[in-house]
Amino acid sequence: MKGDVRSGVDPSGNHWEQEMFSHYGYFLNLQGKDREKLDVYVNPDGQYNKLFRIIQLHPLTKEFDEHKIMVGFKHEEHAKRGYLMHYPDNWEGYGGIEEISLK
C-alpha cells in the first residue's frame, strides 16, 4: 500500500528501505515471463484507464528480469516516473516502457 516501507538486502549485502508512493502488489492469477506472479503498481491518485508495462532489467547483467505493470497513470512519462521514484537515482534496472491493452 502507499506509505508502506519495503526493505531487503541487495546482492552486495547492503540493507535497503523504500517508502511506497503507489499501491504495490501482484495479480493473483497472472504469471509474468519470469514465471512469478505479475507485479503491479497502482497510482493511488490515478483516474486514468491506461496500462503500461515496464521492462525491468537485472541491474548487474542488464538482462531481462521481469515486467512491472503500471495502472492509473496518465501517460507513458507519468508511469515511468511512478516506477522510477521507487528506485535509487542511479537505478540501472529500467529497460523501457510500453502502453498495453487489457487483451
Side-chain angles (χ1 to χ4, degrees):
M1 294 292 289
K2 178 181 176 181
D4 287 351
V5 176
R6 298 184 66 177
S7 63
V9 178
D10 71 17
S12 301
N14 300 310
H15 177 78
W16 59 268
E17 288 187 357
Q18 175 61 55
E19 178 182 353
M20 300 306 292
F21 302 104
S22 296
H23 301 310
Y24 182 79
Y26 53 86
F27 294 100
L28 293 176
N29 297 317
L30 289 178
Q31 190 178 74
K33 286 189 176 183
D34 61 349
R35 299 188 180 267
E36 295 183 17
K37 292 178 181 170
L38 186 58
D39 297 342
V40 60
Y41 289 86
V42 178
N43 179 7
D45 305 319
Q47 298 178 8
Y48 309 101
N49 59 1
K50 294 183 178 186
L51 296 173
F52 298 93
R53 178 170 50 202
I54 299 283
I55 300 164
Q56 183 167 293
L57 307 175
H58 187 284
L60 298 177
T61 66
K62 308 299 184 274
E63 304 226 350
F64 175 80
D65 181 34
E66 63 182 314
H67 287 120
K68 304 284 189 181
I69 304 300
M70 310 299 289
V71 176
F73 294 86
K74 185 174 184 177
H75 48 73
E76 194 172 281
E77 187 60 30
H78 187 220
K80 178 182 175 182
R81 284 192 315 261
Y83 166 79
L84 289 174
M85 69 188 327
H86 293 94
Y87 294 91
D89 290 340
N90 61 348
W91 175 242
E92 296 186 28
Y94 175 75
I97 187 171
E98 59 188 343
E99 188 171 349
I100 59 173
S101 70
L102 285 175
K103 293 179 183 179

